[in-house]
Amino acid sequence: MGNLPHFQLFIDGAWSEGATSQVMTSANPATGQGWATFSCAAPEDVDRAVAAAKRALDDPQWRDMTATARGKLLYRLADLVAENAARLGEFETTDSGKLLVETSAQTGYVADYYRYFAGLADKVEGTVLPIDKPDMHVFTTREPIGVVAAIVPWNAQMFLTATKLGPALAAGCTVVLKASEIAPAPMLEFARLIEQAGFPAGVVSVITGDAENCAIPLTRHPDLDRIAFTGGPETARHVVRNSAENFAVTSLELGGKSPILVFEDADLDGAANGLIAGNFGASGQSCVAGTRGLVQRSVLQDLIGRIKEKAGAIVLGDPLEAGTHVGPLCTMAQVNKIEETLAKSAEQGAVVHFGGQPADRPGNYMNPTLVECISPETETLKVEMFGPVMSLLPFDTEEEAIALANSTVFGLGSGVFTQNLARAHRVSKRIKSGICWVNTYRAISPIAPFGGFNQSGYGREAGVEAILDYTRTKTIWISTSQEPMANPFVMR
């Protein structure tokens, strides 16, 4: 155990152990064995990180840096991310079980998110107001919102870091990144690139640790100005309660039970691929997983047959191997939750067409599973399992499909498969979700904002509006009159 790689905290431009010397071991989901250790932050470390961020915010080295110069630092970081994509991908795969082909490719593409926000850094503009008062020049400017806590889950770390860190730094904020204690290694390794890129000390710190010693002190910290959180709804409730202590502006990107609607006029091979991508891609460990497949009754059995045929070629295996399609789940708790949910669904009359059991091999492996449901109340249609489980439910009419799609407390992603252009517009407009893909699924871009409705959260990440969320508007009034200010008891 002493020979395992060890990751330290990155605070105020320096590497250190946590104040209480707490160390955790990270297990490789493919083997179930510990592969690395990492230092955990204590409340004192959280204080140090936030204090450094607050100091850096007012340090002329960062405060007075031009927006163009900030953009150049982000371009440098983007280049480093691209150069180290394979290495970061290997760390993420070993730590979380996600496929290397996806983590390395996604990390390479993440560099474009930093480039996108680098280009936006010097394009955040104020406005001269056509004020309704004489002898007044009034204009607005946008200033950094301040110290940001960016809380990132384990399942898409480089991507979900970029959607927070990119706009925050472009806007001139300082950031404390909190990595999930479940699989923090890639985030702590990424901190080396932040250091190498040349950001001033304290502008970005990277920490990890448990809720009591790290997450709670961070989200309650009085010097925090903004919280950007991605994770589960239950944790989000605690984050919102904690933010009542500091009134930090908060954005939440949470879970989902996203619907994929397949109409009888759809290209069924395309729809089958969309459902497979939305459920078995990333081993089902995606917040936008399309786990509620709603299929027009007339084509349900045909579609099931096509999915079965395609699923027969799925390779379950080592996530580091290029030929693997589905790897292990990050934790054994996910496997256990899936087993419990499938058992209850079977009692409700659901039919498992394939899969349904953990794979007979070491590690946290769950076989890809297809469930045909007879009722919207089937458990697999209600529980977010974060694993490779696809549930299909028939519908008869377009109105019924829309009603079923919206019968959830969530509202993150959705999909529509149809060759009818009018229907595509009509249905996508009425589905209550922050994203709707038509005849495709799981497509992303730094240009396109994403986020949820209802209990899938609020706020948007990526796109132009994201950088504005890391700014405050200041209004400046200048009297241009040659006369002194008049009666002080009358509002002008």
Side-chain angles (χ1 to χ4, degrees):
M1 193 68 72
N3 295 324
L4 298 180
H6 180 69
F7 296 88
Q8 292 182 308
L9 307 173
F10 182 69
I11 299 175
D12 200 10
W15 298 91
S16 66
E17 299 296 316
T20 60
S21 300
Q22 181 188 5
V23 172
M24 288 186 182
T25 299
S26 189
N28 181 340
T31 64
Q33 302 299 310
W35 79 278
T37 60
F38 58 92
S39 299
C40 297
E44 301 96 311
D45 302 304
V46 173
D47 284 339
R48 283 199 299 128
V50 175
K54 186 178 181 181
R55 187 208 69 244
L57 192 68
D58 293 324
D59 188 322
Q61 190 179 8
W62 181 249
R63 182 196 65 201
D64 297 339
M65 185 181 291
T66 66
T68 302
R70 289 199 305 269
K72 288 179 179 179
L73 277 178
L74 278 168
Y75 278 122
R76 173 63 177 146
L77 180 60
D79 290 343
L80 288 169
V81 169
E83 291 165 12
N84 290 274
R87 177 175 172 79
L88 289 171
E90 188 171 339
F91 276 109
E92 187 170 356
T93 293
T94 306
D95 216 23
S96 71
K98 289 189 68 175
L99 301 185
L100 180 60
V101 291
E102 177 161 4
T103 56
S104 58
Q106 188 178 75
T107 301
Y109 185 50
V110 155
D112 283 350
Y113 280 77
Y114 290 110
R115 294 187 180 107
Y116 178 80
F117 288 111
L120 281 180
D122 56 7
K123 296 169 185 66
V124 177
E125 301 175 344
T127 304
V128 176
L129 304 178
I131 207 69
D132 59 346
K133 299 183 185 301
D135 301 325
M136 287 285 184
H137 178 62
V138 184
F139 61 95
T140 64
T141 63
R142 286 188 175 269
E143 299 183 349
I145 200 168
V147 177
V148 176
I151 303 172
V152 179
W154 54 262
N155 66 308
Q157 295 175 62
M158 292 299 99
F159 168 60
L160 293 170
T161 293
T163 58
K164 298 168 180 61
L165 189 62
L169 294 178
C173 298
T174 55
V175 183
V176 178
L177 275 170
K178 194 275 177 184
S180 169
E181 68 275 21
I182 292 176
M187 290 273 286
L188 296 169
E189 185 66 18
F190 169 70
R192 300 187 186 280
L193 305 187
I194 295 169
E195 183 181 32
Q196 192 176 342
F199 287 92
V203 170
V204 183
S205 293
V206 183
I207 61 176
T208 190
D210 58 33
E212 183 178 353
N213 292 296
C214 186
I216 293 173
L218 178 60
T219 52
R220 290 171 63 97
H221 202 285
D223 290 330
L224 212 60
D225 298 294
R226 193 188 191 293
I227 301 170
F229 173 83
T230 300
E234 197 52 46
T235 304
R237 291 184 176 93
H238 292 291
V239 170
V240 171
R241 292 185 191 106
N242 292 341
S243 70
E245 299 299 319
N246 51 28
F247 298 113
V249 176
T250 303
S251 59
L252 305 171
E253 200 262 306
L254 309 178
K257 283 295 289 182
S258 299
I260 297 179
L261 285 62
V262 180
F263 289 91
E264 60 188 359
D265 67 335
D267 180 302
L268 293 187
D269 272 332
N273 286 335
L275 283 160
I276 289 170
N279 286 274
F280 302 154
S283 304
Q285 300 176 115
S286 170
C287 53
V288 295
T291 52
R292 293 188 299 136
L294 308 176
V295 184
Q296 200 146 25
R297 195 180 302 273
S298 59
V299 296
L300 176 61
Q301 295 308 316
D302 187 351
L303 185 62
I304 287 174
R306 293 170 192 250
I307 292 170
K308 282 182 175 180
E309 182 179 356
K310 292 175 184 291
I314 291 175
V315 177
L316 183 90
D318 185 342
L320 291 170
E321 295 293 331
T324 298
H325 299 127
V326 175
L329 303 188
C330 189
T331 68
M332 185 54 71
Q334 294 164 255
V335 177
N336 296 336
K337 186 174 184 180
I338 290 171
E339 286 191 281
E340 293 169 6
T341 306
L342 288 173
K344 186 167 183 179
S345 298
E347 292 173 4
Q348 295 170 319
V351 175
V352 175
H353 284 276
F354 58 77
Q357 297 291 332
D360 185 17
R361 57 182 297 158
N364 309 332
Y365 286 89
M366 181 71 200
N367 285 309
T369 299
L370 173 62
V371 181
E372 183 181 353
C373 305
I374 61 173
S375 163
E377 297 305 309
T378 303
E379 196 74 358
T380 57
L381 292 170
K382 298 167 67 176
V383 175
E384 186 181 25
M385 291 169 283
F386 238 55
V389 179
M390 180 191 308
S391 297
L392 302 182
L393 179 71
F395 68 84
D396 293 301
T397 67
E398 182 179 304
E399 285 298 317
E400 182 188 5
I402 294 169
L404 287 169
N406 291 335
S407 63
T408 175
V409 296
F410 297 107
L412 187 56
S414 61
V416 177
F417 282 83
T418 178
Q419 296 188 71
N420 183 319
L421 181 61
R423 172 180 282 153
H425 281 282
R426 196 166 58 238
V427 174
S428 62
K429 181 179 180 180
R430 290 186 58 194
I431 293 177
K432 296 175 182 176
S433 66
I435 316 161
C436 186
W437 289 284
V438 177
N439 294 330
T440 188
Y441 209 79
R442 286 189 77 216
I444 58 171
S445 167
I447 303 166
F450 67 91
F453 289 8
N454 305 324
Q455 290 189 28
S456 287
Y458 48 77
R460 293 295 179 266
E461 295 191 319
V464 173
E465 61 192 276
I467 193 172
L468 301 181
D469 287 344
Y470 289 89
T471 67
R472 300 187 198 271
T473 300
K474 176 181 283 185
T475 304
I476 299 172
W477 293 70
I478 299 176
S479 172
T480 59
S481 174
Q482 296 185 49
E483 301 297 324
M485 184 173 172
N487 189 341
F489 299 104
V490 177
M491 181 178 285
R492 293 211 59 190

